Coordinates of all heavy atoms in Angstrom, one line a residue:
M109 N 67.8 69.7 147.7 CA 67.7 71.1 147.3 C 67.3 71.1 145.8 O 67.9 70.4 145.0 CB 68.9 71.8 147.5 CG 68.9 73.3 147.2 SD 70.5 74.0 147.5 CE 69.9 75.5 148.2
K110 N 66.2 71.8 145.5 CA 65.8 71.8 144.1 C 66.6 72.7 143.2 O 67.1 73.8 143.7 CB 64.3 72.3 144.0 CG 63.3 71.3 144.1 CD 62.0 72.0 143.9 CE 60.9 71.0 143.5 NZ 59.6 71.7 143.4
N111 N 66.8 72.4 142.0 CA 67.6 73.3 141.1 C 66.5 74.3 140.5 O 65.5 73.9 140.0 CB 68.1 72.5 139.9 CG 69.4 71.7 140.4 OD1 70.0 72.0 141.3 ND2 69.7 70.6 139.6
N112 N 66.9 75.5 140.7 CA 66.0 76.6 140.3 C 66.7 77.2 139.0 O 68.0 77.5 139.1 CB 66.0 77.6 141.3 CG 64.9 78.7 141.0 OD1 64.4 78.7 139.9 ND2 64.6 79.6 142.0
I113 N 66.0 77.4 137.9 CA 66.5 77.9 136.8 C 67.0 79.4 136.9 O 67.9 79.8 136.3 CB 65.4 77.8 135.6 CG1 65.2 76.3 135.2 CG2 65.9 78.5 134.3 CD1 64.1 76.1 134.2
L114 N 66.2 80.1 137.7 CA 66.5 81.5 137.8 C 67.6 81.7 138.9 O 68.0 83.1 139.0 CB 65.2 82.3 138.2 CG 64.2 82.3 137.2 CD1 62.9 82.9 137.7 CD2 64.6 82.8 135.8
K115 N 68.0 80.8 139.5 CA 69.1 81.0 140.6 C 70.4 81.2 140.1 O 70.8 80.5 139.1 CB 69.1 79.7 141.6 CG 70.1 79.8 142.7 CD 70.0 78.5 143.5 CE 71.0 78.6 144.5 NZ 71.1 77.3 145.4
K116 N 71.1 82.2 140.5 CA 72.5 82.5 140.0 C 73.4 81.4 140.7 O 73.5 81.3 141.9 CB 72.9 83.9 140.3 CG 72.2 84.9 139.6 CD 72.8 86.3 139.9 CE 72.1 87.3 139.1 NZ 72.6 88.7 139.5
T117 N 74.2 80.8 139.9 CA 75.2 79.8 140.4 C 76.6 80.3 140.4 O 76.8 81.5 140.0 CB 75.2 78.5 139.5 OG1 75.6 79.0 138.2 CG2 73.8 77.9 139.4
R118 N 77.5 79.6 141.1 CA 78.9 80.0 141.1 C 79.4 80.3 139.8 O 80.2 81.0 139.4 CB 79.7 79.1 142.0 CG 79.6 79.4 143.4 CD 80.4 78.5 144.2 NE 79.6 77.4 144.7 CZ 79.9 76.3 145.1 NH1 81.1 75.9 145.1 NH2 79.0 75.5 145.6
G119 N 79.1 79.4 138.8 CA 79.6 79.4 137.5 C 79.2 80.6 136.8 O 79.9 81.3 136.1
F120 N 78.0 81.1 137.0 CA 77.5 82.3 136.5 C 78.3 83.5 137.0 O 78.7 84.4 136.2 CB 76.0 82.5 136.8 CG 75.4 83.8 136.2 CD1 75.0 83.8 134.9 CD2 75.1 84.9 137.1 CE1 74.5 85.0 134.4 CE2 74.6 86.0 136.6 CZ 74.3 86.1 135.2
N121 N 78.6 83.5 138.3 CA 79.3 84.6 138.9 C 80.7 84.7 138.4 O 81.4 85.7 138.2 CB 79.3 84.5 140.4 CG 77.9 84.8 141.0 OD1 77.2 85.5 140.4 ND2 77.6 84.3 142.2
V122 N 81.3 83.4 138.2 CA 82.7 83.4 137.6 C 82.7 83.9 136.2 O 83.6 84.6 135.8 CB 83.2 81.9 137.7 CG1 84.5 81.7 136.9 CG2 83.4 81.5 139.2
G123 N 81.7 83.6 135.4 CA 81.5 84.1 134.1 C 81.5 85.6 134.1 O 82.1 86.3 133.2
L124 N 80.7 86.1 135.0 CA 80.6 87.7 135.0 C 81.9 88.3 135.4 O 82.3 89.3 134.8 CB 79.5 88.1 136.0 CG 78.1 88.0 135.6 CD1 77.1 88.4 136.7 CD2 77.8 88.9 134.3
F125 N 82.6 87.6 136.3 CA 83.9 88.1 136.7 C 84.9 88.1 135.6 O 85.7 89.0 135.3 CB 84.5 87.3 137.9 CG 85.8 87.7 138.4 CD1 86.0 88.8 139.0 CD2 86.9 86.8 138.1 CE1 87.2 89.2 139.5 CE2 88.2 87.3 138.5 CZ 88.3 88.5 139.3
G126 N 84.8 87.0 134.8 CA 85.6 86.9 133.6 C 85.4 88.0 132.6 O 86.3 88.5 132.0
F127 N 84.2 88.3 132.4 CA 83.7 89.4 131.4 C 84.3 90.7 131.9 O 84.7 91.5 131.1 CB 82.2 89.4 131.2 CG 81.8 88.4 130.2 CD1 80.8 87.5 130.6 CD2 82.2 88.3 128.9 CE1 80.4 86.4 129.7 CE2 81.8 87.3 128.0 CZ 80.9 86.4 128.4
K128 N 84.2 91.0 133.2 CA 84.7 92.2 133.8 C 86.1 92.3 133.6 O 86.7 93.4 133.2 CB 84.3 92.4 135.3 CG 82.8 92.4 135.5 CD 82.3 93.8 135.1 CE 80.8 93.9 135.4 NZ 80.2 95.1 134.9
I129 N 86.8 91.3 133.8 CA 88.4 91.3 133.7 C 88.6 91.5 132.1 O 89.6 92.3 131.8 CB 89.0 89.9 134.1 CG1 88.8 89.8 135.7 CG2 90.4 89.8 133.7 CD1 89.6 90.8 136.4
G130 N 88.0 90.9 131.3 CA 88.1 91.1 129.9 C 87.9 92.5 129.4 O 88.7 93.1 128.6
D131 N 86.8 93.2 130.0 CA 86.7 94.6 129.6 C 87.8 95.5 130.1 O 88.2 96.3 129.4 CB 85.3 95.1 130.3 CG 84.0 94.5 129.6 OD1 84.2 94.1 128.5 OD2 83.0 94.5 130.4
I132 N 88.3 95.2 131.3 CA 89.3 96.0 131.8 C 90.6 95.8 130.9 O 91.3 96.8 130.6 CB 89.6 95.6 133.3 CG1 88.4 96.1 134.2 CG2 90.9 96.2 133.8 CD1 88.5 95.6 135.6
I133 N 90.9 94.6 130.6 CA 92.1 94.3 129.7 C 91.9 94.9 128.4 O 92.8 95.6 127.9 CB 92.3 92.8 129.6 CG1 92.8 92.2 131.0 CG2 93.3 92.4 128.6 CD1 92.9 90.7 131.1
T134 N 90.7 94.9 127.8 CA 90.5 95.5 126.5 C 90.7 97.0 126.5 O 91.4 97.6 125.7 CB 89.1 95.1 126.1 OG1 88.9 93.8 125.9 CG2 88.8 95.7 124.6
K135 N 90.2 97.6 127.5 CA 90.4 99.1 127.7 C 91.8 99.5 127.8 O 92.3 100.5 127.3 CB 89.5 99.7 128.7 CG 88.0 99.6 128.4 CD 87.1 100.1 129.5 CE 85.6 99.8 129.1 NZ 84.8 100.2 130.2
T136 N 92.5 98.7 128.6 CA 93.9 99.0 128.9 C 94.7 98.8 127.7 O 95.6 99.8 127.4 CB 94.4 98.1 130.1 OG1 93.5 98.3 131.3 CG2 95.8 98.5 130.5
V137 N 94.6 97.7 127.0 CA 95.5 97.5 125.8 C 95.2 98.4 124.7 O 96.1 98.9 124.1 CB 95.2 96.0 125.4 CG1 95.9 95.7 124.1 CG2 95.8 94.9 126.5
L138 N 93.9 98.7 124.5 CA 93.5 99.7 123.5 C 94.2 101.1 123.8 O 94.8 101.7 122.8 CB 92.1 99.9 123.4 CG 91.5 100.9 122.4 CD1 91.8 100.3 121.0 CD2 90.1 101.0 122.5
N139 N 94.1 101.6 125.0 CA 94.8 102.8 125.3 C 96.2 102.8 125.2 O 96.9 103.7 124.7 CB 94.5 103.3 126.7 CG 93.0 103.7 126.9 OD1 92.4 104.2 125.9 ND2 92.5 103.6 128.0
I140 N 96.9 101.7 125.5 CA 98.3 101.6 125.3 C 98.7 101.6 123.8 O 99.7 102.2 123.4 CB 98.8 100.2 126.0 CG1 98.8 100.5 127.5 CG2 100.3 99.9 125.6 CD1 99.0 99.2 128.3
M141 N 97.9 100.9 123.0 CA 98.2 100.7 121.6 C 98.1 102.1 120.9 O 98.8 102.6 120.1 CB 97.4 99.7 120.9 CG 97.7 98.4 121.2 SD 96.5 97.1 120.5 CE 96.5 97.6 118.8
L142 N 97.0 102.8 121.3 CA 96.7 104.2 120.8 C 97.9 105.2 121.1 O 98.3 105.9 120.3 CB 95.4 104.7 121.2 CG 94.2 104.0 120.5 CD1 92.9 104.5 121.1 CD2 94.2 104.3 119.0
A143 N 98.3 105.1 122.4 CA 99.3 106.0 122.8 C 100.6 105.7 122.1 O 101.4 106.5 121.7 CB 99.6 105.8 124.3
T144 N 100.9 104.4 121.9 CA 102.1 104.0 121.2 C 102.1 104.5 119.8 O 103.1 105.1 119.3 CB 102.2 102.4 121.2 OG1 102.2 102.0 122.5 CG2 103.5 102.0 120.6
V145 N 101.0 104.3 119.1 CA 100.9 104.8 117.7 C 101.1 106.3 117.7 O 101.8 106.9 116.8 CB 99.6 104.4 117.1 CG1 99.3 105.1 115.7 CG2 99.5 102.9 116.8
F146 N 100.5 107.0 118.6 CA 100.6 108.5 118.6 C 102.1 108.9 118.8 O 102.6 109.7 118.1 CB 99.7 109.1 119.7 CG 99.8 110.6 119.8 CD1 99.1 111.3 118.9 CD2 100.6 111.2 120.8 CE1 99.2 112.7 118.9 CE2 100.6 112.5 120.9 CZ 99.9 113.3 119.9
Y147 N 102.7 108.4 119.8 CA 104.0 108.9 120.1 C 105.2 108.3 119.3 O 106.1 108.9 119.0 CB 104.3 108.5 121.6 CG 103.6 109.4 122.6 CD1 102.7 109.0 123.4 CD2 103.9 110.8 122.6 CE1 101.9 109.9 124.2 CE2 103.3 111.7 123.4 CZ 102.2 111.1 124.2 OH 101.6 112.0 125.1
L148 N 104.9 107.1 118.7 CA 106.0 106.5 117.8 C 105.8 106.8 116.3 O 106.7 106.7 115.6 CB 106.1 105.0 118.0 CG 106.6 104.6 119.4 CD1 106.6 103.1 119.5 CD2 107.9 105.2 119.8
V149 N 104.5 107.2 115.9 CA 104.3 107.4 114.6 C 104.0 108.9 114.2 O 104.6 109.6 113.4 CB 103.2 106.5 114.0 CG1 102.8 106.8 112.5 CG2 103.6 105.0 114.1
L150 N 102.9 109.4 114.8 CA 102.4 110.7 114.5 C 103.4 111.8 115.0 O 103.4 112.8 114.2 CB 101.0 110.9 115.0 CG 99.9 109.8 114.5 CD1 98.6 110.0 115.2 CD2 99.8 110.0 113.0
T151 N 103.8 111.7 116.2 CA 104.7 112.8 116.7 C 105.9 113.0 115.9 O 106.3 114.1 115.5 CB 104.9 112.6 118.2 OG1 103.8 112.5 118.9 CG2 105.8 113.7 118.8
P152 N 106.7 111.9 115.6 CA 107.8 112.0 114.7 C 107.5 112.6 113.3 O 108.3 113.4 112.7 CB 108.5 110.8 114.6 CG 108.0 110.0 115.8 CD 106.7 110.5 116.1
L153 N 106.4 112.2 112.8 CA 106.0 112.7 111.5 C 105.7 114.2 111.5 O 106.1 115.1 110.7 CB 104.7 112.0 111.0 CG 104.9 110.7 110.3 CD1 103.7 110.1 110.0 CD2 105.9 110.7 109.2
S154 N 105.1 114.7 112.6 CA 104.8 116.1 112.8 C 106.2 116.9 112.9 O 106.3 117.9 112.4 CB 104.0 116.3 114.1 OG 103.9 117.7 114.5
F155 N 107.1 116.3 113.8 CA 108.4 117.1 113.9 C 109.1 117.2 112.5 O 109.8 118.1 112.2 CB 109.3 116.3 114.9 CG 108.8 116.5 116.3 CD1 108.9 115.5 117.2 CD2 108.3 117.8 116.8 CE1 108.5 115.7 118.5 CE2 107.9 118.0 118.0 CZ 107.9 117.0 119.0
L156 N 109.1 116.1 111.8 CA 109.8 116.0 110.5 C 109.2 117.1 109.5 O 109.9 117.7 108.8 CB 109.7 114.7 109.9 CG 110.7 113.6 110.5 CD1 110.4 112.3 109.9 CD2 112.1 114.0 110.4
S157 N 107.8 117.2 109.5 CA 107.2 118.1 108.7 C 107.5 119.5 109.0 O 107.7 120.4 108.3 CB 105.7 117.9 108.6 OG 105.1 118.2 109.8
K158 N 107.7 119.8 110.4 CA 108.1 121.1 110.8 C 109.6 121.4 110.5 O 109.9 122.5 110.1 CB 107.8 121.2 112.3 CG 106.4 121.4 112.6 CD 106.1 121.7 114.0 CE 104.6 121.8 114.3 NZ 104.1 123.0 114.3
I159 N 110.3 120.4 110.6 CA 111.8 120.6 110.3 C 112.0 120.9 108.9 O 112.8 121.9 108.5 CB 112.6 119.4 110.8 CG1 112.7 119.3 112.3 CG2 114.0 119.5 110.2 CD1 113.2 118.0 112.8
F160 N 111.4 120.2 108.0 CA 111.6 120.3 106.6 C 110.6 121.3 105.9 O 110.6 121.5 104.7 CB 111.6 118.9 105.9 CG 112.7 118.1 106.3 CD1 112.5 116.9 107.0 CD2 114.0 118.4 105.9 CE1 113.5 116.1 107.3 CE2 115.0 117.6 106.3 CZ 114.9 116.4 107.1
K161 N 109.8 121.8 106.8 CA 108.8 122.8 106.4 C 107.9 122.3 105.2 O 107.7 122.9 104.2 CB 109.4 124.2 106.0 CG 109.9 124.8 107.2 CD 110.6 126.1 106.9 CE 111.5 126.5 108.1 NZ 111.4 127.5 108.8
L162 N 107.4 121.0 105.3 CA 106.6 120.5 104.3 C 105.2 121.1 104.4 O 104.6 121.2 105.4 CB 106.5 119.0 104.5 CG 107.7 118.2 104.5 CD1 107.5 116.7 104.8 CD2 108.3 118.3 103.0
K163 N 104.7 121.5 103.2 CA 103.3 122.2 103.2 C 102.5 121.2 102.3 O 102.5 121.4 101.2 CB 103.4 123.5 102.7 CG 104.3 124.5 103.5 CD 104.3 125.9 102.9 CE 105.1 126.8 103.8 NZ 105.2 128.2 103.3
A164 N 101.7 120.6 103.0 CA 100.7 119.7 102.4 C 99.4 120.5 102.0 O 98.5 120.0 101.3 CB 100.3 118.5 103.2
H165 N 99.3 121.7 102.4 CA 98.1 122.5 102.2 C 98.3 123.6 101.1 O 97.6 124.6 101.1 CB 97.7 123.1 103.5 CG 98.8 124.1 104.1 ND1 99.8 123.6 104.8 CD2 98.9 125.4 104.0 CE1 100.6 124.7 105.2 NE2 100.1 125.7 104.7
I166 N 99.2 123.4 100.2 CA 99.4 124.3 99.2 C 98.2 124.2 98.2 O 97.9 123.1 97.7 CB 100.7 124.1 98.4 CG1 101.9 124.3 99.3 CG2 100.8 124.9 97.2 CD1 103.1 124.0 98.8
K167 N 97.5 125.3 97.9 CA 96.4 125.4 97.0 C 96.9 125.4 95.5 O 97.8 126.0 95.2 CB 95.6 126.6 97.4 CG 95.0 126.4 98.8 CD 94.3 127.7 99.2 CE 94.0 127.7 100.6 NZ 95.0 127.9 101.5
P168 N 96.1 124.6 94.7 CA 96.5 124.5 93.2 C 96.3 125.8 92.5 O 95.3 126.6 92.8 CB 95.5 123.5 92.8 CG 94.3 123.6 93.6 CD 94.9 124.0 95.0
N169 N 97.2 126.1 91.7 CA 97.2 127.2 90.7 C 97.1 128.7 91.5 O 96.5 129.6 90.9 CB 96.1 127.1 89.7 CG 96.3 125.9 88.9 OD1 97.5 125.5 88.6 ND2 95.2 125.3 88.4
G170 N 97.6 128.7 92.6 CA 97.6 130.1 93.4 C 96.1 130.5 93.8 O 96.0 131.6 94.0
K171 N 95.3 129.6 93.9 CA 93.8 130.0 94.2 C 93.8 130.2 95.8 O 94.6 129.7 96.4 CB 92.8 129.0 93.7 CG 92.7 128.9 92.2 CD 91.7 127.9 91.8 CE 91.6 127.9 90.3 NZ 90.6 127.0 89.8
N172 N 92.7 130.8 96.2 CA 92.5 131.0 97.6 C 91.9 129.8 98.3 O 91.8 129.8 99.5 CB 91.7 132.3 97.8 CG 92.5 133.5 97.5 OD1 93.7 133.5 97.6 ND2 91.8 134.6 97.1
S173 N 91.3 128.9 97.5 CA 90.5 127.8 98.1 C 90.7 126.5 97.3 O 91.0 126.6 96.1 CB 89.0 128.2 98.1 OG 88.2 127.2 98.6
F174 N 90.4 125.4 98.0 CA 90.4 124.2 97.2 C 89.1 124.0 96.6 O 89.0 123.1 95.7 CB 90.6 123.0 98.3 CG 92.0 122.9 98.7 CD1 92.3 123.2 100.0 CD2 93.0 122.3 97.9 CE1 93.6 123.0 100.5 CE2 94.3 122.2 98.3 CZ 94.7 122.5 99.6
Y175 N 88.0 124.6 96.9 CA 86.7 124.4 96.4 C 86.5 125.1 95.1 O 87.0 126.3 94.9 CB 85.7 124.9 97.4 CG 85.6 124.2 98.7 CD1 86.3 124.7 99.9 CD2 85.2 122.9 98.9 CE1 86.3 124.0 100.9 CE2 85.2 122.1 99.9 CZ 85.8 122.7 101.1 OH 85.9 122.0 102.3
V176 N 85.8 124.5 94.2 CA 85.6 125.1 92.9 C 84.1 125.4 92.7 O 83.2 124.5 93.0 CB 85.9 124.0 91.8 CG1 85.7 124.6 90.4 CG2 87.5 123.7 91.9
S177 N 83.9 126.7 92.4 CA 82.5 127.1 92.3 C 81.9 126.8 90.9 O 82.7 127.1 89.9 CB 82.3 128.6 92.6 OG 82.7 128.9 93.8
K178 N 80.7 126.3 90.9 CA 80.1 125.9 89.5 C 78.8 126.8 89.5 O 78.0 126.8 90.4 CB 79.8 124.4 89.5 CG 80.9 123.5 89.6 CD 81.4 123.3 88.3 CE 82.6 122.2 88.3 NZ 83.1 121.8 87.1
T179 N 78.7 127.6 88.5 CA 77.6 128.3 88.2 C 76.8 127.6 87.1 O 77.1 127.7 85.9 CB 77.8 129.7 87.8 OG1 78.8 129.8 86.8 CG2 78.5 130.5 89.1
R180 N 75.8 126.8 87.5 CA 75.1 126.0 86.5 C 73.7 125.9 87.0 O 73.4 125.9 88.1 CB 75.7 124.6 86.6 CG 75.1 123.6 85.6 CD 75.9 122.3 85.7 NE 75.0 121.3 86.0 CZ 75.4 120.0 86.2 NH1 76.5 119.7 86.0 NH2 74.5 119.2 86.4
S181 N 72.8 126.0 86.1 CA 71.4 126.0 86.4 C 70.9 124.5 86.3 O 71.3 123.8 85.4 CB 70.5 126.8 85.4 OG 70.7 126.4 84.2
F182 N 70.0 124.2 87.2 CA 69.5 122.8 87.2 C 68.0 122.9 86.8 O 67.3 123.7 87.1 CB 69.5 122.2 88.7 CG 71.0 122.1 89.1 CD1 71.5 123.0 89.9 CD2 71.7 120.9 88.8 CE1 72.9 122.9 90.4 CE2 73.0 120.8 89.2 CZ 73.6 121.7 90.1
N183 N 67.7 121.8 86.1 CA 66.3 121.6 85.7 C 65.9 120.3 86.0 O 66.6 119.4 86.7 CB 66.1 121.9 84.1 CG 67.0 121.0 83.3 OD1 67.5 119.9 83.8 ND2 67.2 121.3 82.1
K184 N 64.7 119.8 85.7 CA 64.1 118.6 86.0 C 64.8 117.4 85.5 O 65.0 116.4 86.2 CB 62.6 118.5 85.6 CG 61.8 117.4 86.0 CD 60.4 117.4 85.6 CE 59.7 116.1 86.0 NZ 58.3 116.0 85.5
N185 N 65.4 117.5 84.3 CA 66.1 116.4 83.7 C 67.4 116.1 84.3 O 67.9 115.0 84.3 CB 66.3 116.7 82.2 CG 65.0 116.7 81.4 OD1 64.1 116.2 81.8 ND2 65.0 117.5 80.4
S186 N 68.0 117.1 84.9 CA 69.4 116.9 85.6 C 69.3 116.0 86.8 O 70.2 115.4 87.3 CB 70.0 118.2 85.9 OG 69.3 118.9 86.9
F187 N 68.0 115.9 87.4 CA 67.9 115.0 88.6 C 67.3 113.7 88.3 O 67.2 112.8 89.2 CB 66.9 115.7 89.6 CG 67.4 117.0 90.2 CD1 67.1 118.2 89.8 CD2 68.4 116.8 91.2 CE1 67.6 119.4 90.4 CE2 69.0 118.0 91.9 CZ 68.5 119.2 91.4
E188 N 66.9 113.4 87.1 CA 66.4 112.1 86.7 C 67.4 111.1 86.6 O 67.4 110.0 87.0 CB 65.6 112.2 85.5 CG 64.2 112.9 85.7 CD 63.4 113.0 84.4 OE1 63.8 112.4 83.4 OE2 62.4 113.6 84.5
K189 N 68.6 111.4 86.0 CA 69.6 110.5 85.9 C 70.9 111.1 86.5 O 71.7 111.7 85.9 CB 69.9 110.2 84.4 CG 69.0 109.3 83.7 CD 69.4 108.9 82.4 CE 68.5 108.0 81.7 NZ 68.9 107.5 80.4
T190 N 71.0 110.8 87.9 CA 72.0 111.5 88.6 C 73.4 110.8 88.3 O 74.4 111.3 88.5 CB 71.8 111.3 90.1 OG1 71.6 110.0 90.5 CG2 70.6 112.2 90.5
W191 N 73.4 109.5 87.9 CA 74.8 108.9 87.7 C 75.0 108.8 86.2 O 75.7 108.3 85.6 CB 74.8 107.5 88.4 CG 74.5 107.6 89.8 CD1 73.4 107.2 90.4 CD2 75.3 108.2 90.9 NE1 73.5 107.3 91.7 CE2 74.6 108.1 92.0 CE3 76.5 108.9 90.8 CZ2 75.1 108.5 93.2 CZ3 77.0 109.4 92.0 CH2 76.3 109.2 93.2

């Protein structure tokens, strides 16, 4: 029997099977890790912030927004040296 370069061998099929198993394991482990981080880290932090009424969204100096409006005119020279 002649060896054909394009013929799929058993080793090739075993390799594909290994890659498929690796993909399944990767997706499973990733989902387990993300769920663990969510339930063990983010959820307790959320409950603690609600219990102690922490407000991370307090705006500075009693303003209505975090954004600062600048009223400035631009000319050609202001775009030549931006940094």
Side-chain angles (χ1 to χ4, degrees):
M109 184 177 220
K110 268 185 163 176
N111 287 338
N112 189 355
I113 294 175
L114 300 175
K115 181 180 174 184
K116 290 184 180 178
T117 61
R118 275 183 260 160
F120 181 77
N121 291 334
V122 170
L124 284 179
F125 180 71
F127 281 120
K128 294 289 182 186
I129 294 292
D131 286 340
I132 293 169
I133 290 173
T134 300
K135 290 176 183 173
T136 306
V137 169
L138 180 64
N139 287 335
I140 291 171
M141 287 175 55
L142 288 173
T144 303
V145 167
F146 180 78
Y147 286 112
L148 294 180
V149 177
L150 296 178
T151 303
L153 283 175
S154 172
F155 287 142
L156 287 174
S157 70
K158 287 187 186 262
I159 289 171
F160 295 114
K161 298 183 191 237
L162 298 175
K163 294 183 179 178
H165 59 279
I166 296 174
K167 296 174 186 78
N169 299 328
K171 295 182 180 179
N172 291 332
S173 176
F174 283 108
Y175 298 104
V176 178
S177 297
K178 298 273 183 176
T179 53
R180 183 175 120 181
S181 62
F182 294 99
N183 57 19
K184 184 178 178 182
N185 295 331
S186 62
F187 290 106
E188 288 182 6
K189 288 189 176 182
T190 55
W191 306 111

